[in-house]
Amino acid sequence: MNYQNLVTEIRNGILYLTISREKKLNALNKETLTELADVIAFVQRSSDVKCVLLTGAGEKAFVAGADISEFSSYSTEQGEALARNGQTTVFDAIENSAKPFLAAINGFALGGGLELAMACHIRVGADTAKMGLPEVTLGLIPGYGGTQRLTQLIGKGRATEMILTAEMVNAEKAEKMGLLNHVVPLSDLISRSEEILNKIMLRAPLAVSAAITAVNAVYTDGVNGYETEIAEFGKRFGNKDFKEGVSAFLEKRTAQFKGM
Ligand code: COA
């Protein structure tokens, strides 16, 4: 994989995906979004990749938002298309990925950067991280799912206040709100994230994907999440990994899952 704005490396099942426009605080320009869409699609079809660790280059920013310089002269239609394309190809694609994405937030996660982190399944923050949705300072609102996912994660009252005031929260507060799963010193960010992903990779991959689908169903309009859970639960009985999991338990050994 050869990208202009992303650095990728696959090691022991983890795709290390680093957004790399450090001089622009890793802001998401069009090219970066296109590259992200490409790599997200690759993740789904690669048998080498079991999960993704997404972070930003440098120590200052995860992602400081969408690239403001690119949309300064957009029309209403162009603005809507920007949000729609981004949501479909990147943000929703991450949320609905069959393989888990973990955001390792190494600094500012603002606007599209926080939206990117919120589309991931798990968020680990460095103690230096700062998060917010400052779009109203630009005369905009969040366009990559921020109004929806922040509300889902921290509740309507707190999400509305964060969005209307455009205030940033620090890592400690974000963890208390449920916006971050864990806060660690910056130097431990990658190792703590790897620890979580390594644990997930010991589990049955199809069960992991099914759990993502069922949890996402809570927030999908017109879908009964309980029905989704019942159907996904039932399907697992047809997987070889189910037989392996049960046999391993009964034989008091570690299961060796094959993703089948
Ligand atoms: N889009 C485009 N460029 C951005 C950017 C963004 N979202 N965020 C930062 N940059 C660029 C700056 O323009 C600057 O580029 P330059 O050196 O060519 O002038 C560079 O990144 C460094 O940013 P700077 O503002 O000088 O750093 P700072 O430490 O003073 O402030 C922030 C850091 C994050 C507080 C500030 O950059 C900021 O508010 N960024 C915009 C956040 C935002 O509104 N995001 C939502 C977009 S919808």
Side-chain angles (χ1 to χ4, degrees):
M1 284 176 288
N2 207 359
Y3 297 114
Q4 293 304 308
N5 305 300
L6 303 178
V7 175
T8 58
E9 186 191 353
I10 302 170
R11 237 186 309 129
N12 302 325
I14 301 177
L15 172 70
Y16 294 82
L17 174 55
T18 305
I19 301 182
S20 188
R21 294 185 76 216
E22 199 176 336
K23 287 193 179 136
K24 295 290 176 187
L25 304 188
N26 305 319
L28 299 173
N29 62 355
K30 260 195 228 157
E31 194 179 40
T32 306
L33 286 164
T34 304
E35 291 182 354
L36 277 171
D38 188 77
V39 82
I40 295 160
F42 165 79
V43 165
Q44 310 313 309
R45 56 177 194 269
S46 164
S47 54
D48 296 332
V49 178
K50 313 290 182 211
C51 54
V52 179
L53 193 164
L54 172 62
T55 194
E59 296 199 343
K60 186 164 173 184
F62 173 71
V63 169
D67 192 315
I68 299 168
S69 64
E70 278 190 348
F71 57 67
S72 57
S73 59
Y74 271 20
S75 66
T76 304
E77 291 72 25
Q78 286 172 306
E80 188 174 326
L82 179 75
R84 193 177 301 286
N85 294 340
Q87 288 203 18
T88 309
T89 62
V90 175
F91 297 79
D92 294 353
I94 290 176
E95 184 167 59
N96 296 319
S97 164
K99 301 177 187 177
F101 277 63
L102 180 151
I105 304 171
N106 54 309
F108 287 113
L110 302 175
L114 179 55
E115 289 171 305
L116 192 63
M118 291 194 296
C120 292
H121 305 101
I122 298 169
R123 281 157 295 283
V124 180
D127 51 6
T128 53
K130 287 212 167 78
M131 279 148 280
L133 293 176
E135 286 84 350
V136 293
T137 65
L138 302 169
L140 293 173
I141 66 165
Y144 288 142
T147 59
Q148 307 303 296
R149 291 194 181 98
L150 187 64
T151 306
Q152 290 163 5
L153 282 167
I154 67 172
K156 185 177 175 187
R158 286 185 293 202
T160 307
E161 183 178 334
M162 261 183 81
I163 294 166
L164 301 194
T165 62
E167 287 287 309
M168 291 184 217
V169 292
N170 64 23
E172 192 188 350
K173 191 161 178 198
E175 187 188 25
K176 282 198 186 117
M177 286 173 155
L179 188 49
L180 289 176
N181 298 42
H182 307 279
V183 178
V184 293
L186 180 61
S187 55
D188 297 345
L189 182 64
I190 299 304
S191 59
R192 181 72 181 103
S193 302
E194 287 171 334
E195 212 177 282
I196 295 168
L197 291 173
N198 286 334
K199 201 170 276 182
I200 294 172
M201 285 192 290
L202 295 174
R203 314 308 177 210
L206 294 176
V208 167
S209 302
I212 291 173
T213 303
V215 171
N216 284 350
V218 174
Y219 304 106
T220 311
D221 262 354
V223 170
N224 180 327
Y226 292 95
E227 284 302 327
T228 303
E229 182 179 287
I230 290 165
E232 290 294 341
F233 179 79
K235 277 190 232 165
R236 304 290 68 81
F237 287 79
N239 294 151
K240 289 199 173 125
D241 278 348
F242 162 67
K243 314 271 184 276
E244 167 62 9
V246 172
S247 306
F249 175 79
L250 295 174
E251 292 160 19
K252 301 190 189 304
R253 61 175 174 81
T254 306
Q256 300 295 326
F257 293 118
K258 300 237 162 26
M260 299 161 79

